[in-house]
Amino acid sequence: MMKQIKKHKLLLMSLTLLVFLTACRSIVDGNGHVLEQYILKLDTPFSAAWNDGLFTAILVYPISLLLNYLASIEFIGAGGSIIIVTLLFNALLTPSMIKQQLMTQKQQLIQPELAKINAKYEGKNDQQSMMHKNQEMQALFAKHQINPLGSLLPLFIQMPLLFAMFGAIQRSYNLINGTFFGIHLSTAPSAGYSEPNGYIYIIILVLTIIANIASFKLPQYLTKLKKREEGFKEKAYAIDKSASNPEKTMNTMMYVMLAMTSWFGWSWPVGMSLYWGIGSVARILQALYIYKYHSLKK
């Protein structure tokens, strides 16, 4: 029961966050250009951002200042500023991301034990049996120090940053007027593909999608490889389809993120695809670090 309540609270928080962030008023005109009063410059006062809303003042404004400052440095430029800020964010999130991946690995390791509990209570749907089943599962999680919701925490941290980066990339003056390999990072592939260098928009989007897929699939592959290397034997238990399956959950997330990357990547500023792609590369490096330096036996 407590597990169901937590899931409902998690869903409610997610929907609240989504509604809050997507309820922002439009800052572009009919041609997709940012309105002058919403462009953020290095000399834009904090009071102007504060008048635009709490979210803009707390997240979008400082990120925009950093992007504008880095983009103003000649050898960094607009594209380099996005890459640096993305790597900085991922460096700050690395501890929580590593914890998330390790938590997912733990959940994969206890799947045979979870399956055994599910098999024990198969066909028993009365309240007392379900209560005992949940108690045994909670005891198993406690034994292995697993928080089923712990792997979702980084997502809550990343979502506000994702929306903030979208706003900052869209509104930062030096990004709007800057270029990266001859393309404007504030332009969407859907609008820029017909330009002389339009193929670069497509290349960035395709590479982002590939990196996004790899960032989800590689940790799963490395976990299986690590299990074989460290002598973990797979046990053949019939797994209840209603049970929590981290790998299935990750695959579902991958398909959702892939659809989002493809759909939004085509219509939002290509700078966001650059941000998303570099972030995916950072997650790949985190997975390789965990594979090399963290033992499943521990």
Side-chain angles (χ1 to χ4, degrees), residues 126-192:
D126 59 281
Q127 185 175 358
Q128 187 174 8
S129 295
M130 295 303 295
M131 182 180 66
H132 288 315
K133 178 181 177 180
N134 287 332
Q135 288 176 346
E136 290 189 31
M137 286 185 170
Q138 292 299 325
L140 180 62
F141 290 143
K143 175 184 174 182
H144 294 279
Q145 298 180 332
I146 294 175
N147 178 3
L149 298 181
S151 60
L152 296 177
L153 179 60
L155 183 61
F156 277 108
I157 301 174
Q158 290 180 63
M159 286 303 291
L161 288 178
L162 176 66
F163 280 89
M165 277 294 294
F166 175 76
I169 290 173
Q170 193 179 28
R171 299 171 61 177
S172 297
Y173 178 82
N174 287 343
L175 265 61
I176 293 173
N177 295 281
T179 60
F180 181 65
F181 287 103
I183 65 172
H184 294 278
L185 292 172
S186 60
T187 301
S190 59

Side-chain angles (χ1 to χ4, degrees), residues 85-105:
V85 171
T86 304
L87 293 176
L88 176 62
F89 281 169
N90 279 274
L92 295 174
L93 290 173
T94 290
S96 63
M97 293 298 296
I98 290 177
K99 184 177 180 180
Q100 175 199 28
Q101 291 192 31
L102 291 174
M103 193 71 67
T104 301
Q105 289 181 352

Side-chain angles (χ1 to χ4, degrees), residues 199-250:
Y199 65 93
I200 297 179
Y201 291 96
I202 307 302
I203 290 176
I204 292 176
L205 179 58
V206 171
L207 290 178
T208 296
I209 293 172
I210 293 174
N212 191 31
I213 295 173
S215 70
F216 278 97
K217 298 300 291 184
L218 183 63
Q220 296 178 18
Y221 170 75
L222 292 179
T223 299
K224 292 178 180 179
L225 188 61
K226 196 75 168 179
K227 287 166 72 174
R228 289 199 297 267
E229 290 177 353
E230 298 190 355
F232 286 92
K233 295 181 179 180
E234 300 289 345
K235 298 181 180 180
Y237 291 113
I239 298 178
D240 185 351
K241 293 182 180 180
S242 64
S244 173
N245 189 326
E247 186 169 339
K248 183 178 179 181
T249 301
M250 290 297 292

Side-chain angles (χ1 to χ4, degrees), residues 64-131:
S64 177
L65 287 181
L66 182 57
L67 287 170
N68 276 321
Y69 172 74
L70 291 173
S72 68
I73 301 175
E74 186 175 354
F75 66 89
I76 294 179
S81 67
I82 293 177
I83 293 173
I84 291 174
V85 171
T86 304
L87 293 176
L88 176 62
F89 281 169
N90 279 274
L92 295 174
L93 290 173
T94 290
S96 63
M97 293 298 296
I98 290 177
K99 184 177 180 180
Q100 175 199 28
Q101 291 192 31
L102 291 174
M103 193 71 67
T104 301
Q105 289 181 352
K106 281 186 178 183
Q107 292 184 55
Q108 291 174 341
L109 288 176
I110 67 168
Q111 283 303 301
E113 296 178 75
L114 281 174
K116 190 175 182 179
I117 294 174
N118 285 317
K120 178 180 178 181
Y121 291 96
E122 185 176 4
K124 299 178 181 179
N125 298 319
D126 59 281
Q127 185 175 358
Q128 187 174 8
S129 295
M130 295 303 295
M131 182 180 66

